[in-house]
Amino acid sequence: MNTEKRKFSQLYQRIYDVVRRIPSGHVATYGQIANLAGLPGQARLVGYALHSSPDHLVLPWHRVINARGTISLSEMEASYHEQRALLQSEGIIFTNDRIDLQRFRWNPDMDGNALD
DNA sequence: CTGGTGACCATTA
DNA sequence: TTAATGGCCACCA
């Protein structure tokens, strides 16, 4: 129906879907999300989708960072500090504004299967 | 239709 | 280590 302003395409939904699966205490990169959403090489789209992510969708958007392990926002923006605070509250550790991806990156394979 | 933009990324120097 | 470059393509004016 076109009466409803279609701000998000099915593509966005796919992206939001993956983002929703990131567990607390872990992070994923934009590229990683793109791959899991079946959109390889479309990291930028993930960023775009999150940027325009509507408020009524409750997403763990703060768990998505760039491949360098840093927050992709300007420190001048309030959302930067918000993201950082949220991550820290989940146990993520920042070292010089950088997160150790080796340690905190979400591994979707062990999402549900405990293969300890 | 066209052109500019971007919460990105891998590669190269 | 940082900096520059090309690629990617949905979205928007």
Side-chain angles (χ1 to χ4, degrees), chain A residues 1 7 12 29-30 42 47 60 64 70 72 76 82 92 100:
Chain A
M1 311 273 84
K7 264 196 151 168
Y12 282 29
T29 67
Y30 295 94
Q42 301 293 51
V64 186
T70 65
S72 276
M76 295 177 61
E82 185 185 351
I92 305 290
D100 184 356

Side-chain angles (χ1 to χ4, degrees), chain A residues 6-14 16:
Chain A
R6 190 157 39 85
K7 264 196 151 168
F8 13 67
S9 57
Q10 205 164 43
L11 246 38
Y12 282 29
Q13 291 294 348
R14 279 176 150 298
Y16 297 146

Side-chain angles (χ1 to χ4, degrees), chain A residues 6-112:
Chain A
R6 190 157 39 85
K7 264 196 151 168
F8 13 67
S9 57
Q10 205 164 43
L11 246 38
Y12 282 29
Q13 291 294 348
R14 279 176 150 298
I15 292 170
Y16 297 146
D17 243 14
V18 178
V19 173
R20 246 186 290 272
R21 294 172 42 205
I22 309 173
S24 174
H26 291 268
V27 296
T29 67
Y30 295 94
Q32 189 180 351
I33 298 298
N35 283 324
L36 292 173
L39 306 164
Q42 301 293 51
R44 309 191 72 155
L45 185 59
V46 175
Y48 198 99
L50 287 184
H51 176 67
S52 57
S53 94
D55 297 332
H56 65 81
L57 283 186
V58 203
L59 295 172
W61 59 272
H62 56 281
R63 298 181 189 144
V64 186
I65 61 177
N66 61 40
R68 299 193 320 235
T70 65
I71 291 176
S72 276
L73 294 168
S74 167
E75 296 186 23
M76 295 177 61
E77 303 181 56
S79 38
Y80 169 91
H81 301 282
E82 185 185 351
Q83 179 169 17
R84 180 164 176 148
L86 284 169
L87 288 174
Q88 288 181 143
S89 75
E90 294 182 353
I92 305 290
I93 300 172
F94 283 78
T95 306
N96 287 337
D97 297 322
R98 183 165 39 206
I99 296 171
D100 184 356
L101 284 177
Q102 291 243 53
R103 180 173 170 188
F104 295 107
R105 187 199 285 269
W106 169 44
N107 182 343
D109 291 331
M110 57 189 216
D111 187 33

